């Protein structure tokens, strides 16, 4: 039994040892007797790559003696006096041979300190290669896919299924013959697990065994390919690559629901979305013309990387990490290349330069994202897609239409109201009364009074009250209007603050204004003047904020910075060491155009920094925000932000209306213009306008209520202005070097000239028929799903250090056919599983096992241990517990208590109840820093990074799971109940039924005997200890049947448990 | 087996192990099993024990056979423990000079503070031991054994936040997906015990602070049997260890006997070469059900021992109890015991909190050394104490007469080692007057890893694993063995 169970250690080891297979790192070289000439691709290039490229390969910075062996020109470089590095047909004049054979420590290659060496056989091989003429070719996987014709077999025939043709031709060469066809029981089980991840039910097995009509097997194939479980099984595999999980990863590892993406993957496979589109949608669905919701959801693939919210993290550092992760995942999942090696320096083995790396990086860095997600809110990091519940988006569109309608009515009114304006009684505009006014003239007991409310604001960490009268002559503006001349102001240190609990919370539909006098004394990159928010990056800046950005006035309303916010900034900075009377108004429109900034009564020229606010700026505990109350208006500083250092501030007034320009001018002693006067009239005096404004506000509140709780999904969305990409020295975020254009590596076909230089163009390049990698990688992956091992064993690396294909012509034939079929995945499965190669028995003679333990030659059928998900799903299915619901948020099945608590995040695993306990395992909640233990024990991945394949190990911990995990105990009991009810008195029949449900076949006489004895022994134990029987039957949430004797049921549960621990339950033969 | 074969490309090493297993008629799957636990059952087949990928052929003379690592998660302040800086007290409240900071980055937590006032430690330092080593009075018991310790005051790391820093310390890389230190050692050296995991993780529960992640003891790209196995106090010391309610040991034994018959029968029918390994897998799990509770059961420890570790040691799960457990695991030959104690992340209220932290850890840490020493285990057991980074010499938040906090500081911090071939009584390296930069004998995390492997007989450049075409190692492409630390 087989190789399926080997650890990867052995897989590699054995592969290397087999003489018929390509040499690889560490391979023992044996000269195949049937190959007279040395094969460069199989025998020489891997040696050069593994032992020489590190110093004489693609990485120019590490290249020693300016020698590179990975390209022909380098390897054949002449040296004078008739010598060359490699001199074809003349090993004696080849420097390479001299260096690898010399005893001189100085000259010896590889140098001793490299810890690398060549065996005598390898040296001889290199010599022979040169003597034979030194054939030299580029790396196989970068060459175009070329479809060879199907080989003719030694008897002159051509196989009906081309796969068999290629495999048989190779077996012929090796003098081996294929194994006989597997039994129908084995075949249906193999097919069911391969195509659905679930075992066949006894009824399905019966039906298949009884179907004697021609095409029975093909019909079965089509039925499985057509079942929704097929999509789930395919998704299970893809989710490791996509690093799909239910939490952000890193540190606090907060939950975020990305299940719409997972469900899209399932649906895409189920409906057989052509694979080129499957890739294109994920890379660039948002850039397709008129993208559908599904196409945009698919792009979440690029947002599944880990994210952090650890306090104090440097935003830029992590934003860089995210882009890097996208590039690496793209490389591994779609190109089969280890691009990440080129993050810090040119790739040591493959022709990928560091510049190439950042040229790819440039495709993925252009979204309006933050490097940190929010600790204090549950905001979805931007950019995101609103996931409207059915019908609600329609409702929302209607409200928006009514808002637009009212807004155009208001515009029209401003033209038609002229007559009324001219007829108005001429009065000086009275500035509305502030709802709050802090004059800072009195401080008592750490409090300062609010002249408007009669309440107090609180001084935190002692901001200083200073006399400012003396400083007024310096450059004080004239103080007029309602603003009192005050003798005092507040001076802030940058760390201390005034918090005002008496001011109401404003949301994004509220019109409000702030008027304040400021005197900055230092040039700061960033100074927080005042805000209504919990924190800066720790809260995604949720709320509103008035800051000085290099002295320029910045005002923003923010749900999550930067992608869900509006903000404007003045073009000019405030003067230092001078008083400025600053007024900010906001009209409740959620548009940057609704913000006005005024200096000394005059509107400032501003630029729009962000104009995309579509959710509220307040906090909502019920929606998952991590705060107990709305943050208070705070002046002078913010949590972990840069405060108003040594700044003076006075006379803060807050208005619950957008002050009109006329009012502001009036207050600051300026004269309003005619247009300002008209505006003022409309808003304050013209009833029809005022009433329409009231209706508008009601609609905005309605819209806000509707949209703010709509869930969102992180997706891709290009920024309008392209963010430049730099080469980063040593990969460090803070070491940007030259700007690089968006481009693909020079060693692969060129970027198509008719495609846009964006992710969509990149997807077109990837899926272009000339691209040698995408189809080979995809085909290899699907092959691996059926045979447990790819034609290229290193699914994660098709590069120079990866293993060579065992059947290169077959790989190319399939890749070519796959593309020609329109990337039809189901057709590819069908071709594979209907081959005789696939249908062979997996039994092997000892001789064949010894010769080909890994089944690389495919002289027998596939056999392997099931993946973690299938083991559990199989127990659920066989016991009848399985809940076949497809999709939706992840569920929390049984898990030992206390694991999450122990990790120190203060989070508790709240186990589900009822049917949610029994969903297929791909729906199990995946917490990256504490993944489900029973899954991890069976080699599932933590999903922190893209992983191309799982290794298979065998450990005692796995036995403990199968024997003791409540899920398996409960499943055993349920299956025991079922078979006992089916056969009320026939113990042998019960055992047969249970054995078949779990292994797909009937027990033979010996097995039946062993299990019968087991039942009797267990029955005796439980009959003697009835309490124990009751306890065992109580395991699991589902109630035990009362129709069966507890001792009998407990004993039968043990029998089923034994079968679940029998190899044939976890192994697919 | 040549050295190149052991350590160069992995396949060659794997090959040789397979050859060994084949020679003795051992099934293939047994390798993985044997890597986790080496059962006496397998001993009968030949080699007797799992010696990891090196096959017992050390690169260097091994000085330590095993490691107990007391990981102080969160980053203990060096200025309150081992790095005495009277100048900070003299200049308490003054701004951190720019000439000292040299423009180096700060975290976003204190980076925006308007001032960075130097904070002298509120705790007294005295000289202890023959070498007159300065130790804070927060650590009276550690001070008493200071002549057994090798204190490194010049550690530095790359990362400034917990997750990257602790991941870096445990795996040599800030990037997730790399094997942890214990996994590398398990992979290289295998196991010395009969029926316990070779790499055991102990965590003080209930210390909600900076979280710990499975990746810290994960196997990364190494096969998953190399990952650490967490032992927890309570019912199931190892996940799923106990039989289901109502299943007696007798019932389980019989079930396993029948299961073995089924497997043997199947092997006969189908020529299954792996059957021995699979049977061994189940036998090991059965033995673990006894051996793990056995090692967790401290009832046969003397009162004197409990007194040595402190009264907490009678309460399962406490740091003190875990230290005692670590000694018991070391006695059983467990190769790597990784113990975590959270709670050192003292951004504010440092004086109060560090006092409590030290109270929880001082006595038991010292007791572990004393206990190992008197049992003759200290010579070949390396004990390490330390966190993922140090803390700033300026105060995070307000500095008052009685209170201050300290932010993360990667540029210098202190750890100690003991036993296992390190020089006792040595204080190595120094920081500048402000405990801000390393002034003398810098020891980077990579150097620490190289040294740790060296003590175990491993050349850090030669314990490699081929993944994605590249030979990975714990020290990446860095690391210098700090020979000065070695006895």
């Amino acid at each position: 039994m087989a190789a399926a169970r080997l650890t990867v250690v052995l897989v590699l080891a054995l592969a290397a040892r087999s003489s018929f297979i390509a040499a690889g790192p560490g391979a023992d070289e044996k000269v195949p007797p049937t190959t007279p000439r040395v094969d460069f691709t199989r025998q020489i290039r891997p040696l050069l790559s593994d032992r020489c490229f590190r110093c004489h390969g693609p990485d120019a910075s590490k290249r020693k003696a300016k020698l590179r062996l990975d390209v022909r020109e380098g390897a054949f470089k002449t040296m004078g006096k008739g010598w060359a590095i490699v001199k074809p047909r003349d090993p004696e004049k080849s420097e390479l041979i001299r260096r690898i054979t010399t005893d001189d420590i100085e000259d010896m290659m590889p140098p001793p300190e490299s810890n690398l060496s060549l065996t005598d056989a390898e040296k001889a091989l290199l010599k022979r290669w040169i003597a034979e003429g030194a054939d030299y070719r580029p790396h196989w996987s970068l060459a175009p896919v070329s479809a060879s014709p199907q080989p003719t077999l030694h008897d002159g025939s051509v196989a009906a299924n081309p796969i068999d043709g290629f495999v048989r031709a190779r077996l012929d060469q090796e003098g081996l013959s294929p194994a006989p066809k597997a039994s129908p029981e084995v075949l249906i089980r193999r097919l069911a697990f391969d195509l659905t991840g679930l075992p066949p039910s006894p009824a399905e097995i019966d039906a298949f065994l009884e179907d004697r009509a021609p095409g029975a097997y093909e019909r079965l194939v089509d039925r499985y390919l057509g079942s929704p479980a097929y999509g789930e099984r395919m998704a299970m595999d893809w989710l490791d690559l996509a690093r799909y999980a239910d939490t952000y990863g890193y540190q606090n590892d907060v939950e975020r629901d990305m299940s719409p993406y997972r469900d899209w993957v399932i649906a895409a496979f189920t409906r057989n979305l052509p694979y080129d589109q499957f890739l294109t949608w994920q890379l660039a669905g948002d850039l397709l013309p008129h993208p559908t919701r599904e196409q945009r959801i698919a792009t979440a693939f690029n947002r599944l990387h880990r994210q952090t919210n650890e306090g104090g993290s440097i935003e830029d550092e992590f934003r860089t990490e995210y882009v890097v992760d996208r590039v690496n995942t793209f490389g591994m999942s779609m190109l089969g290349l280890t691009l990440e090696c080129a993050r810090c320096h040119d790739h040591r083995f493959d022709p990928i330069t560091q510049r190439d790396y950042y040229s790819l990086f440039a495709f993925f860095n252009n979204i309006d994202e933050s490097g940190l997600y929010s600790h204090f809110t549950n905001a979805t990091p931007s950019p995101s897609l609103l996931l409207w519940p059915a019908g609600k988006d329609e409702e929302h569109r209607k409200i928006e239409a009514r808002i637009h309608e009212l807004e155009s009515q208001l515009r029209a009114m401003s033209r038609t109201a002229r007559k009324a304006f001219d007829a108005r009684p001429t009065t000086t505009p009275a500035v509305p009364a502030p709802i709050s006014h802090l004059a800072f003239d009195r401080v008592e007991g750490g409090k300062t009074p609010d002249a408007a409310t009669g309440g107090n604001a609180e001084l935190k960490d002692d901001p200083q009250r200073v006399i400012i009268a003396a400083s007024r002559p310096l450059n004080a503006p004239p103080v007029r209007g309602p603003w009192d001349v005050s003798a005092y102001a507040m001076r802030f240190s940058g760390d201390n603050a005034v918090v005002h609990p008496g001011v109401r919370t404003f949301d994004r539909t509220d019109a409000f204004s702030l008027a304040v006098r400021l005197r900055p004394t230092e040039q700061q990159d960033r100074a927080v003047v005042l805000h209504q928010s919990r924190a800066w990056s720790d809260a995604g800046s949720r709320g509103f904020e008035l800051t000085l950005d290099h002295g320029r006035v910045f005002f923003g309303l923010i749900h999550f910075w930067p992608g869900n916010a509006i903000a404007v900034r003045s073009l000019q900075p405030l003067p230092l060491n001078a008083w400025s009377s600053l007024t900010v108004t906001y009209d409740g429109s959620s548009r940057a155009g609704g913000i006005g900034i005024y200096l000394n009564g005059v509107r400032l020229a501003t630029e729009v920094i962000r104009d995309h606010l579509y959710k509220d700026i307040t906090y909502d505990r019920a929606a998952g925000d991590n705060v107990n109350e709305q943050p208070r208006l705070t002046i002078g500083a913010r949590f972990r932000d840069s405060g108003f250092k040594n700044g003076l501030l006075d006379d803060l007034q807050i208005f619950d209306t957008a002050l009109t320009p006329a009012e502001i001018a009036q207050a600051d002693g300026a004269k309003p213009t005619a247009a300002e006067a008209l505006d003022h009239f409309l808003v304050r005096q013209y009833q029809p306008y005022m009433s329409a404004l009231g209706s508008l506000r009601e609609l905005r509140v309605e819209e806000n209520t509707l949209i703010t709780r709509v869930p969102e999904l992180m997706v891709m969305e290009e920024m309008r202005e392209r963010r430049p990409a730099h080469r980063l020295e040593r990969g460090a975020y803070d070491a940007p070097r030259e700007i690089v254009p968006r481009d693909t590596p020079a060693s692969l076909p060129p970027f198509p000239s008719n495609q846009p230089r964006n992710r969509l163009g990149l997807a077109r390049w990837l899926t272009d028929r000339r691209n040698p990698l995408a189809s080979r990688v995809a085909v290899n992956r699907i092959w691996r799903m059926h045979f447990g091992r790819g034609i290229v064993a290193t699914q994660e690396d098709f590069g120079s250090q990866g293993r060579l294909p065992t059947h290169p012509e077959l790989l190319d034939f399939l890749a070519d056919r796959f593309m020609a079929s329109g990337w039809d995945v189901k057709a590819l499965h069908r071709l594979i599983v209907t081959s005789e190669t696939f249908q062979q028995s997996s039994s092997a003679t000892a001789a064949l096992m010894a010769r080909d333990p890994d089944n690389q030659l495919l002289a027998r059928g596939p056999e392997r241990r099931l993946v973690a998900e299938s083991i559990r799903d199989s127990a659920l299915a066989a016991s009848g517990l399985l809940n076949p619901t497809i999709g939706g948020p992840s569920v929390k099945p049984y898990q030992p208590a206390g694991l999450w608590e122990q990790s120190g995040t203060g989070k508790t695993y709240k186990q589900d109840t009822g049917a949610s306990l029994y969903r297929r395992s791909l729906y199990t909640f995946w917490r990256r820093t504490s993944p489900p233990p029973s899954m991890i024990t069976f080699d599932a991945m933590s999903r922190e990074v893209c992983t191309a394949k799982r290794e298979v190990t065998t450990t005692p911990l796995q036995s403990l799971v199968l024997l003791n995990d409540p899920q398996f105990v409960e499943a055993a009991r349920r299956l025991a109940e079922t078979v006992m009810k089916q056969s009320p008195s026939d113990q042998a029949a019960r055992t047969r039924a249970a054995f078949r449900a779990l292994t797909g076949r009937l027990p033979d006489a010996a097995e039946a005997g062993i299990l019968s004895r087991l039942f009797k022994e267990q029955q005796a134990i439980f009959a003697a200890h009835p309490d124990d029987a009751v306890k065992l039957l109580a395991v699991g949430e589902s109630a035990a049947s009362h129709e069966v004797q507890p001792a009998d049921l407990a004993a039968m549960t043990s029998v089923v448990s034994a079968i679940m621990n029998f190899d044939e339950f976890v192994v697919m033969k | 087996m040549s050295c190149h074969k052991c350590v160069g490309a992995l396949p060659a090493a794997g090959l040789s192990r397979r050859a060994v297993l084949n020679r003795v008629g051992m099934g293939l799957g047994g390798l993985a099993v044997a890597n986790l636990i080496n059962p006496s059952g397998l001993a009968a087949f030949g080699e007797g024990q799992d010696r990891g990928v090196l096959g017992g052929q050390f690169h260097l003379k091994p000085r330590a056979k095993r490691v107990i690592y007391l990981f102080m998660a969160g980053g203990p302040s060096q200025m309150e423990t081992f790095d005495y800086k009277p100048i900070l007290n003299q200049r308490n409240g003054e701004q951190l000079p720019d000439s000292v900071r040299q423009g180096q980055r700060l975290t976003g937590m204190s980076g925006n503070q308007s001032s960075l006032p130097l904070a002298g430690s509120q705790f007294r330092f005295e000289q202890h031991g023959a070498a007159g080593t300065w130790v804070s009075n927060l650590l009276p018991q550690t001070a008493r054994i200071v002549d057994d310790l090798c204190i490194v005051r010049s550690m530095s790391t790359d990362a400034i936040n917990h997750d990257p820093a602790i991941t870096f310390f445990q795996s040599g890389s800030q990037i997730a997906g790399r094997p942890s230190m214990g996994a590398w050692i398990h992979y290289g050296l295998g196991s010395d015990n009969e029926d316990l995991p070779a790499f055991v993780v102990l965590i003080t529960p209930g210390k909600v602070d900076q979280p710990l992640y499975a990746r810290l003891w994960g196997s990364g790209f190494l096969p998953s049997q190399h990952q650490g196995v967490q032992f927890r106090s309570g019912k199931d010391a190892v996940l799923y260890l106990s039989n289901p309610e109502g299943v007696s040991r007798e019932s389980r034994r019989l079930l396993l006997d029948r299961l073995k018959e089924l497997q043997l029968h199947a092997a006969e029918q189908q020529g299954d070469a792996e059957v021995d390994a699979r049977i061994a897998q189940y036998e090991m799990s059965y033995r673990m059900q006894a051996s793990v509770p056995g090692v967790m059961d401290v009832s046969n420890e003397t009162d004197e021992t409990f007194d040595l570790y402190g009264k907490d040691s009678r309460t399962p799960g406490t740091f003190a109890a875990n230290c005692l457990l670590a000694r018991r695991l070391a006695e059983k030959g467990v190769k790597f015991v990784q113990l975590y104690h959270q709670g050192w992340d003292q951004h504010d209220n440092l004086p109060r909190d560090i006092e409590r932290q030290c109270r929880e850890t001082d006595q038991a840490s010292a007791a572990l050394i004393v206990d190992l020493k008197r049992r003759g285990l200290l010579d070949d057991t390396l004990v390490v104490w330390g966190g993922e980074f140090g803390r700033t010499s300026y105060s995070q938040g307000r500095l008052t007469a009685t209170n201050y906090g300290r932010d993360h500081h990667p540029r210098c911090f202190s750890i100690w080692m003991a036993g296992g071939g390190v020089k006792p009584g040595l204080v190595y390296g120094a920081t500048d007057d402000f405990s801000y930069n390393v002034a003398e004998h810098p020891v980077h995390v990579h150097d620490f890893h190289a040294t740790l492997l060296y003590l175990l007989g491993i050349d850090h450049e030669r314990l490699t694993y081929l993944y994605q075409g590249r030979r990975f190692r714990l020290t990446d492409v860095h690391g210098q063995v700090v020979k000065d630390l070695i006895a």
Side-chain angles (χ1 to χ4, degrees), chain B residues 270-309:
Chain B
Q270 298 160 29
D272 185 345
E274 276 196 286
V275 67
D276 292 334
R278 272 197 321 284
I279 291 169
Q281 172 191 3
Y282 277 85
E283 290 304 313
M284 281 177 242
S285 68
Y286 182 73
R287 279 204 314 279
M288 260 176 91
Q289 290 186 314
S291 63
V292 173
V295 78
M296 301 287 286
D297 176 10
V298 293
S299 58
N300 59 351
E301 295 288 339
T302 64
D303 286 348
E304 189 270 344
T305 300
F306 285 119
D307 291 346
L308 180 68
Y309 285 84

Side-chain angles (χ1 to χ4, degrees), chain A residues 604-663:
Chain A
L604 288 179
T606 56
E607 57 185 331
V608 173
I609 306 300
R610 287 292 184 287
D611 196 3
H612 193 219
L613 175 67
Y614 54 94
K615 283 196 167 190
D616 210 350
I617 65 168
T618 55
Y619 293 67
D620 182 0
R621 184 143 195 110
D625 294 338
N626 192 13
V627 292
N628 291 319
E629 54 177 16
Q630 297 297 340
R632 302 303 182 183
L633 184 87
T634 304
I635 308 155
R638 182 158 71 174
F639 183 64
R640 291 179 185 165
D641 202 344
S642 177
F644 191 31
K645 190 173 178 188
N646 296 322
L648 291 162
L649 184 145
D650 199 7
D651 273 328
L652 172 65
Q653 298 186 83
I654 297 163
F655 304 86
D656 59 357
T657 177
L659 294 180
T660 67
E663 286 160 350

Side-chain angles (χ1 to χ4, degrees), chain A residues 20 65 67 81 101 248 316 319 321 390 427 497 520 602 660 662 705 740 745 748 753 812 878 968 997:
Chain A
F20 50 77
L67 169 63
K81 295 187 182 168
T101 50
Y248 284 105
D316 217 22
R319 200 178 54 72
E321 289 302 319
T427 50
V602 180
T660 67
T705 309
V740 292
L748 287 164
S753 55
D812 273 17
F968 287 95

